[in-house]
Amino acid sequence: TMPVKAFDSLTETVPESLPDITRTVEYFADESRWAQLPRQLQEAPFYADGLLLFRALRGLVQGYFDLFRDQWCDQDDDALTDSGLLALEHDLASTLAAANYQGDYTRRKTCTQAAERVTAALYTVTAYHRHVGQVGDFAIDPEVAAFSWKERERSPRPMQALITSTVAAATAVPQPKLDEDFSHVFEGMHREGQARALWAKFRDELHAISQTVRERNAVRTVPYYRADPSIVECSVAI
């Protein structure tokens, strides 16, 4: 039997159960929400290290919105006016809504709102994905994880165990890291020099964060690397 009685229904149930993407980063994005966290959680590696990386990502996104504000945003009411960004916003909202993902897809109409959601998305597909996507430890032990098992047996059959471990290995191949040099993507674009400078500043911040994470891990009982930019992948690249 499958671990979920109606396995195919997961494609409907999961999107409907997920909160809006900004909920993932609400404690990082809102200082008042951060202040509500117990001190023990603020000092926990997921929050302490994640806050550093989130702030760096937010600075990068805001830097590009500021650089191209005269082209992307209405100078009076901050409305998003760039046709390319509006088309992207429309396509994303349509796709997510069609899949029944929860969230307020109308809150992207100003540049401020768009920047907030872009930052949330970048954090989700980098540090947050690194945090929730490390499943190798589970797949090592067939009695912990498997795609299916026979009723009344405590572990999967060998074939199912092999499939699980193969999937884990296939999705764990090395991917480009967040702190690598991607400045080539700005080649030939408008305001190339300024765009490259923003990326260089971002990389400097990432290197500083990596150093801070290493220093913290040196005194932690259990080291935490999920928000180290030298380990975090640049995207959900599987």
Side-chain angles (χ1 to χ4, degrees):
T1 59
M2 299 297 288
V4 179
K5 289 185 178 180
F7 195 80
D8 292 341
S9 68
L10 282 177
T11 57
E12 299 176 0
T13 304
V14 171
E16 294 173 353
S17 303
L18 291 176
D20 186 83
I21 192 172
T22 56
R23 289 285 302 279
T24 304
V25 300
E26 61 180 334
Y27 292 103
F28 300 143
D30 187 335
E31 292 185 3
S32 64
R33 293 288 286 154
W34 176 264
Q36 294 173 6
L37 282 176
R39 184 176 181 82
Q40 186 176 18
L41 284 181
Q42 290 182 1
E43 295 176 351
F46 171 79
Y47 287 103
D49 297 354
L51 179 62
L52 299 178
L53 186 50
F54 176 82
R55 285 176 173 173
L57 288 167
R58 181 167 59 183
L60 177 72
V61 172
Q62 191 59 57
Y64 283 116
F65 268 88
D66 290 342
L67 178 59
F68 295 102
R69 183 164 297 277
D70 60 328
Q71 298 180 12
W72 295 353
C73 315
D74 187 280
Q75 302 304 303
D76 295 324
D77 61 7
D78 193 44
L80 191 63
T81 58
D82 181 77
S83 59
L85 289 176
L86 286 172
L88 174 62
E89 182 274 330
H90 178 270
D91 289 346
L92 285 174
S94 299
T95 300
L96 293 173
N100 293 321
Y101 278 93
Q102 302 302 300
D104 182 2
Y105 304 121
T106 65
R107 297 192 70 253
R108 301 178 180 181
K109 302 305 182 184
T110 70
C111 281
T112 298
Q113 293 169 346
E116 290 174 351
R117 298 191 72 87
V118 168
T119 302
L122 290 179
Y123 181 85
T124 300
V125 300
T126 55
Y128 191 72
H129 178 254
R130 184 70 182 182
H131 177 76
V132 302
Q134 300 299 291
V135 298
D137 291 342
F138 296 103
I140 288 175
D141 187 347
E143 294 188 1
V144 174
F147 288 127
S148 65
W149 58 85
K150 186 173 177 60
E151 190 173 359
R152 295 189 178 87
E153 291 187 5
R154 62 176 292 176
S155 58
R157 297 290 178 88
M159 176 63 74
Q160 278 63 48
L162 179 62
I163 292 174
T164 302
S165 62
T166 301
V167 171
T171 59
V173 296
Q175 302 289 348
K177 301 301 185 284
L178 187 60
D179 67 347
E180 294 185 22
D181 184 7
F182 298 101
S183 59
H184 58 278
V185 303
F186 306 110
E187 184 175 349
M189 69 177 291
H190 182 51
R191 298 171 184 168
E192 176 183 341
Q194 294 163 284
R196 285 178 179 269
L198 285 172
W199 184 259
K201 179 177 179 292
F202 176 62
R203 292 189 71 206
D204 289 341
E205 293 176 354
L206 295 185
H207 293 156
I209 292 171
S210 289
Q211 182 60 37
T212 298
V213 171
R214 294 189 185 101
E215 292 172 357
R216 290 175 174 177
N217 282 335
V219 296
R220 285 170 173 161
T221 302
V222 179
Y224 180 81
Y225 300 99
R226 303 299 194 250
D228 183 342
S230 66
I231 295 176
V232 173
E233 289 89 356
C234 68
S235 68
V236 183
I238 58 173

